[in-house]
Amino acid sequence: KSMEWYRNFHSNYDERKSTAAKELEEIGPDLVFSNVPYLGLDAASLVGIPSVALCSLNWADIFNAYCGHYPDAQKICSDISNAYSNASVFLRPEPSMPMTFLSNTQSVSPIAFIGRRQPEFLRTVTNCSDQMKFVLIGVGGVGIDNFPLEQWPELDDVTWIFPDNTLACSSSNKRADFVPQSQF
């Protein structure tokens, strides 16, 4: 499915890029900031708007790892890589992928808060037993309208915490072991 999506998206990539560039010209931003979709970076370079990418990963390497074996993957990977190369700078918070194909990267310190365990709070809010374990799910890069919740495992003493919009877009969102992040 991933390669099918990329093939579709890149079948008219130059047209998409031109359309996005025209839209950027219309709104006239001083800067494009990306975490880390590549089309906007590519469009910004087309119309001379500076851009900054910020992420510990990039879709060129991920795409190549999962879809690089397909005969038509090289052109798609090249489009993605070129878009990232067009950014004024690609900030890489540590830890991050090496991104050796880019010459515009700059490593930066980690961007995070140090959390603290609060299992009692989670159990109180969800009215769960002391044996319950909680798993926070981040679905970055995955279309939430097609997230396969109906295939998600049901495990004893495990509650899955999902982004609200992921649950809202699924008919499987009523499971007792699915909890929206907003509940906390």
Side-chain angles (χ1 to χ4, degrees):
K1 281 217 166 215
S2 292
M3 188 61 187
E4 182 182 318
W5 183 92
Y6 278 101
R7 279 184 184 125
N8 181 54
F9 187 80
H10 283 264
S11 67
N12 62 348
Y13 184 74
D14 290 337
E15 181 182 325
R16 287 178 191 273
K17 183 169 53 173
S18 294
T19 300
K22 288 175 189 163
E23 291 170 352
L24 284 174
E25 279 186 313
E26 287 175 14
I27 57 177
D30 296 322
L31 177 80
V32 170
F33 185 84
S34 175
N35 176 27
V36 67
Y38 51 90
L39 179 61
L41 298 169
D42 227 359
S45 74
L46 208 60
V47 292
I49 298 170
S51 62
V52 175
L54 168 72
C55 200
S56 58
L57 56 82
N58 71 83
W59 292 113
D61 284 334
I62 294 169
F63 170 80
N64 198 40
Y66 287 97
C67 299
H69 63 281
Y70 289 100
D72 52 342
Q74 185 55 45
K75 168 71 170 95
I76 294 169
C77 194
S78 178
D79 285 345
I80 300 169
S81 299
N82 288 337
Y84 289 142
S85 295
N86 287 331
S88 304
V89 64
F90 195 124
L91 302 174
R92 295 175 38 239
E94 295 297 333
S96 71
M97 299 172 85
M99 303 186 208
T100 55
F101 68 94
L102 293 173
S103 62
N104 59 342
T105 63
Q106 181 176 333
S107 294
V108 296
S109 299
I111 303 171
F113 288 107
I114 296 175
R116 54 190 167 96
R117 290 179 43 89
Q118 296 182 317
E120 296 80 19
F121 171 73
L122 293 172
R123 289 183 186 106
T124 300
V125 169
T126 59
N127 197 29
C128 289
S129 71
D130 288 346
Q131 290 75 35
M132 185 62 65
K133 295 172 183 66
F134 296 89
V135 180
L136 178 63
I137 304 298
V139 295
V142 177
I144 59 170
D145 56 340
N146 294 319
F147 200 75
L149 289 174
E150 64 281 349
Q151 298 172 10
W152 208 260
E154 292 187 56
L155 304 174
D156 291 339
D157 296 322
V158 173
T159 293
W160 308 96
I161 304 170
F162 282 96
D164 291 43
N165 54 359
T166 300
L167 293 177
C169 292
S170 172
S171 59
S172 301
N173 66 356
K174 302 298 183 217
R175 282 182 30 186
D177 61 335
F178 289 172
V179 178
Q181 288 178 351
S182 63
Q183 188 167 338
F184 304 102

